[in-house]
Amino acid sequence: MSGGGGAGGGGSGSPNNTEWRFNQTLRNVQGMLKGRSFPGKVLLTRRSEPLSPPDYSPRFESDRDEYEQNEGSQEGKGQASGNTTDSMSAKKSNLPSTSSTNSLPDAQGLVSGARATDSARIAKFTNELSRPAVILDKLRELSWSGVPPYMRPKVWRLLLGYAPPNADRREGVLTRKRLEYVECVSQYYDIPDSERSDEEINMLRQIAVDCPRTVPDVTFFQHPQIQKSLERILAIRHPASGYVQGINDLLTPFLVVFLSEHLEGNMDTWSMEKLSPQDISNIEADCYWCLSKFLDGMQDHYTFAQPGIQRLVFRLKELVHRIEEPVSKHIEEQGLDFLQFAFRWFNCLLIREIPFHLVTRLWDTYLAEGDYLPDFLVYISASFLLTWSDKLKKLDFQEMVMFLQHLPTRNWAHHELEMVLSRAYMWHTMFKSSPSHLAN
Amino acid sequence: MASSRRRTLLKVIVLGDSGVGKTSLMNQYVNKKFSQQYKATIGADFVTKEVLIEDRLVTLQIWDTAGQERFQSLGVAFYRGADCCMLVYDVNAKRSFNALSTWHDEFLTQASPSDPKHFPFILLGNKIDIDAGNKRAIPEKKAKEWCVSKGNIPYLETSAKDDYNVDSAFLCIAKLALEHEHDQDIYFKTITEPATDTAEHTSGCAC
């Protein structure tokens, strides 16, 4: 266990320096989020007061200045240590210049959460959505920091390329796709077992085992009709990989969001009786297409041996090593394999690790990332893991596995999630064009 | 007070088809709880339990693995260094019984223990509570025959729901693993630690 207590100002040794750099990043993120910087180390697990909604933009301007200054001074210190030079030069080349910061997707939007309901923000969304042809890049930029809940169904359909950007074509396309789905059901699902291959029968059996185990703590999902919908969607989905356990989890945010178009209030009070058969059919079709589109970008995550996930786990390990060496060293010394905890993270895209009410917010960012999601997931996961970096360093193998499998996120609110995302964003910006750390 | 004693770590892998009750068995054993509400295990879950076996403090590190075949490729990461393996099937589901040989062989391939012929396994036939045994698809005799064919693996019938034979099953496999370890004269990790444990006493192995 190296790099003990030196949490203070920038040391010259390399472990200290790494830690110092990490703290600096934290402080920067904190500063951006809260409009002030904190002295010393800030624990992200600390619950904090709710964000105050108003006037982010003026404050942000000054925060950004501060942030850039910090980056500058950090660079100076970084030169001292040979160990970190390549990360430093990477940062030099792609971070601080104001113009590049501005061109990054929704740099201001780092705040969010409360921002999603901010009236100026809603106006921006309304504006984008009312165009005759939605400009997807702009919608992505806005959505990255959270979509106002009542706009989610519409925005998600657009981001996933399920609904066309062109307003006049939109209804027609959706109607056609929904019919297509109904045809799929009668062609592939409503058939006798004698017409199915053994493989398909196996898959259906697996789906039947897993549907009742889908978000079992949210009672709404246990409704027989919802169970039936889950089953049909999963059974028809994706010939490339078939059904893999965990995909049932990935379906749930879509289901909740598309249902929210028809049912008001809290999910716990929803009643299926309020839905017409046509509503249900449409919702099911939307879920099917959106899940399919979503998973298209991650095909090899669920094929044999799941190479896509193995790759992300490997890259996570590399990234953590680069960002906070003492933690990665400790994990290694304890004999913990990243696969032993991060496999589930990637297989279920962190759904299992955070409270369900935050999942749709997380999905806003996922969908905004689009094709870049797998890459960005590595950063989100690193940020998520290092939320507990101090804690982790104190745990032995057993404690660490137990801790990582039951992370204390139960009481998380938006703020904590925003923190994870913002930090992921920053690290991504810092490291993305310095490929050495993610070489295969 | 804080006398130190040798502590042995045993890594236990729980394997079997999806939905046979692996997570339930583990949770009943460690937390004395049964729930209908589990999510499907992804990758593997991990728990530990300390037991006292013949005056020896043993820490079981139990890996409860995912049942879908698709995850079998993960085996290497999770099975490595295993001291014993608990195979589970559902006595009411023939298919889960038929899959046992695959699980058994796949485990040996991926864990590649030094002495595969004598590697400690146990077989559990779970869910004997269901419908008072009327839905049973595999007679006890058949399961025992399978166990003989695999080199006399001990067999226990269990109910995670009613907490029937659960403790015995884990104790049995732990003892086997210890014997095996002894035979093999493999080193085990020793840790000095205060003996303030909540260890449970040996209740005699049912096998």
Side-chain angles (χ1 to χ4, degrees), chain A residues 210-416:
Chain A
D210 287 347
C211 282
R213 305 197 282 182
T214 304
V215 205
D217 36 340
V218 178
T219 43
F220 181 75
F221 288 114
Q222 299 306 314
H223 193 286
Q225 219 155 0
I226 293 290
Q227 287 285 313
K228 199 70 209 163
S229 293
L230 282 172
E231 200 175 311
R232 272 194 294 254
I233 296 168
L234 294 170
I236 294 165
R237 211 202 74 72
H238 258 258
S241 62
Y243 168 74
V244 177
Q245 292 190 300
I247 293 183
N248 57 330
D249 287 305
L250 305 187
L251 177 52
T252 55
F254 294 111
L255 201 50
V256 168
V257 162
F258 294 130
L259 280 162
S260 74
E261 251 178 330
H262 302 269
L263 299 169
E264 280 173 12
N266 190 299
M267 191 163 63
D268 299 325
T269 66
W270 284 355
S271 147
M272 287 299 286
E273 277 82 68
K274 293 202 176 128
L275 298 173
S276 71
Q278 188 59 55
D279 290 338
I280 294 176
S281 175
N282 289 351
I283 290 166
E284 213 183 288
D286 289 4
C287 287
Y288 169 78
W289 289 115
C290 286
L291 178 68
S292 298
K293 298 244 177 208
F294 184 57
L295 290 173
D296 276 348
M298 303 182 262
Q299 290 258 10
D300 67 349
H301 289 211
Y302 301 100
T303 49
F304 179 74
Q306 305 190 257
I309 291 184
Q310 305 262 5
R311 196 167 54 232
L312 296 189
V313 171
F314 178 82
R315 292 175 56 196
L316 173 63
K317 190 178 163 188
E318 299 295 308
L319 183 61
V320 169
H321 180 80
R322 176 133 188 216
I323 294 172
E324 204 178 343
E325 205 185 326
V327 171
S328 99
K329 234 177 163 170
H330 178 69
I331 291 175
E332 202 170 311
E333 278 164 7
Q334 291 296 319
L336 178 63
D337 190 333
F338 272 64
L339 203 68
Q340 288 170 330
F341 63 91
F343 180 83
R344 184 174 77 193
W345 292 10
F346 290 122
N347 192 76
C348 303
L349 302 180
L350 295 177
I351 280 196
R352 297 273 185 110
E353 326 304 323
I354 58 172
F356 192 72
H357 71 93
L358 295 177
V359 167
T360 45
R361 165 62 193 93
L362 180 59
W363 243 244
D364 291 337
T365 302
Y366 284 177
L367 301 189
E369 283 287 330
D371 293 343
Y372 303 102
L373 176 58
D375 182 44
F376 194 65
L377 268 174
V378 175
Y379 287 86
I380 295 183
S381 299
S383 171
F384 189 64
L385 177 71
L386 293 174
T387 299
W388 297 278
S389 58
D390 284 347
K391 171 91 181 169
L392 290 172
K393 279 183 275 188
K394 294 181 191 129
L395 305 178
D396 67 16
F397 172 83
Q398 275 185 202
E399 294 163 334
M400 200 149 44
V401 185
M402 303 274 271
F403 181 76
L404 288 168
Q405 294 206 334
H406 309 275
L407 287 166
T409 58
R410 194 195 300 208
N411 296 319
W412 269 27
H414 280 270
H415 176 75
E416 283 86 357

Side-chain angles (χ1 to χ4, degrees), chain A residues 101-254:
Chain A
T101 310
N102 279 342
S103 68
L104 291 162
D106 200 23
Q108 283 109 327
L110 282 172
V111 182
S112 155
R115 288 194 52 134
T117 53
D118 196 26
S119 63
R121 210 171 144 69
I122 287 177
K124 280 188 187 169
F125 270 102
T126 313
N127 189 33
E128 287 307 320
L129 291 175
S130 62
R131 290 178 197 275
V134 170
I135 302 164
L136 283 176
D137 283 346
K138 289 207 167 165
L139 190 61
R140 262 179 222 294
E141 208 174 298
L142 272 178
S143 303
W144 199 95
S145 340
V147 179
Y150 73 95
M151 292 182 176
R152 268 195 187 117
K154 212 177 211 172
V155 172
W156 283 17
R157 281 193 282 257
L158 284 161
L159 289 178
L160 283 161
Y162 170 47
N166 227 309
D168 350 321
R169 288 183 51 229
R170 207 167 296 152
E171 269 319 299
V173 168
L174 289 184
T175 309
R176 186 167 54 76
K177 288 299 234 180
R178 285 164 182 167
L179 273 174
E180 210 177 301
Y181 173 76
V182 173
E183 276 161 28
C184 278
V185 170
S186 63
Q187 203 178 335
Y188 299 108
Y189 183 82
D190 292 331
I191 53 171
D193 273 356
S194 56
E195 287 176 33
R196 299 182 207 273
S197 67
D198 285 353
E199 208 178 323
E200 282 170 329
I201 291 177
N202 274 347
M203 194 182 80
L204 283 178
R205 192 179 289 122
Q206 185 67 62
I207 291 170
V209 170
D210 287 347
C211 282
R213 305 197 282 182
T214 304
V215 205
D217 36 340
V218 178
T219 43
F220 181 75
F221 288 114
Q222 299 306 314
H223 193 286
Q225 219 155 0
I226 293 290
Q227 287 285 313
K228 199 70 209 163
S229 293
L230 282 172
E231 200 175 311
R232 272 194 294 254
I233 296 168
L234 294 170
I236 294 165
R237 211 202 74 72
H238 258 258
S241 62
Y243 168 74
V244 177
Q245 292 190 300
I247 293 183
N248 57 330
D249 287 305
L250 305 187
L251 177 52
T252 55
F254 294 111

Side-chain angles (χ1 to χ4, degrees), chain A residues 35-140:
Chain A
R36 54 194 149 102
S37 7
F38 292 83
K41 192 144 196 163
V42 177
L43 279 180
L44 291 175
T45 40
R46 185 179 57 87
R47 300 223 44 207
S48 47
E49 62 281 5
L51 284 177
S52 44
D55 92 300
Y56 283 102
S57 6
R59 202 158 63 190
F60 185 80
E61 289 308 317
S62 58
D63 291 339
R64 194 164 54 204
D65 290 339
E66 180 189 308
Y67 162 61
E68 279 165 18
Q69 278 162 19
N70 286 341
E71 281 303 309
S73 63
Q74 191 177 327
E75 232 168 82
K77 299 212 178 183
Q79 308 298 346
S81 132
N83 226 3
T84 48
T85 26
D86 65 345
S87 74
M88 289 304 153
S89 57
K91 257 187 287 178
K92 221 188 296 180
S93 64
N94 74 72
L95 221 213
S97 102
T98 320
S99 62
S100 80
T101 310
N102 279 342
S103 68
L104 291 162
D106 200 23
Q108 283 109 327
L110 282 172
V111 182
S112 155
R115 288 194 52 134
T117 53
D118 196 26
S119 63
R121 210 171 144 69
I122 287 177
K124 280 188 187 169
F125 270 102
T126 313
N127 189 33
E128 287 307 320
L129 291 175
S130 62
R131 290 178 197 275
V134 170
I135 302 164
L136 283 176
D137 283 346
K138 289 207 167 165
L139 190 61
R140 262 179 222 294

Side-chain angles (χ1 to χ4, degrees), chain B residues 48-185:
Chain B
T48 64
K49 171 122 172 162
E50 303 208 321
V51 284
L52 201 57
I53 297 175
E54 281 145 25
D55 213 28
R56 190 162 164 192
L57 187 58
V58 177
T59 302
L60 302 183
Q61 293 187 336
I62 308 168
W63 286 95
D64 162 32
T65 63
Q68 195 181 15
E69 275 173 50
R70 186 60 54 90
F71 296 125
Q72 275 181 14
S73 58
L74 285 175
V76 184
F78 290 103
Y79 305 167
R80 197 188 309 132
D83 295 294
C84 54
C85 176
M86 181 177 263
L87 296 167
V88 187
Y89 78 101
D90 170 355
V91 298
N92 310 290
K94 194 168 172 211
R95 199 189 122 78
S96 69
F97 179 78
N98 292 339
L100 287 172
S101 292
T102 314
W103 284 113
H104 178 270
D105 299 351
E106 191 66 26
F107 173 82
L108 289 178
T109 310
Q110 296 209 35
S112 53
S114 54
D115 182 14
K117 272 202 167 140
H118 302 106
F119 189 84
F121 280 97
I122 187 173
L123 176 64
L124 308 188
N126 192 36
K127 302 199 189 182
I128 57 162
D129 55 277
I130 284 184
D131 204 13
N134 289 322
K135 279 199 180 147
R136 208 178 162 113
I138 302 295
E140 195 171 345
K141 190 164 162 267
K142 196 171 174 191
K144 284 187 168 163
E145 280 167 14
W146 185 85
C147 287
V148 171
S149 79
K150 292 291 171 188
N152 278 323
I153 297 176
Y155 175 63
L156 280 182
E157 304 217 320
T158 56
S159 162
K161 190 178 177 197
D162 297 342
D163 194 11
Y164 176 74
N165 262 346
V166 176
D167 279 18
S168 319
F170 280 94
L171 266 179
C172 180
I173 191 68
K175 282 184 180 177
L176 279 179
L178 287 177
E179 280 167 27
H180 180 70
E181 189 178 58
H182 186 73
D183 293 348
Q184 294 256 301
D185 200 27

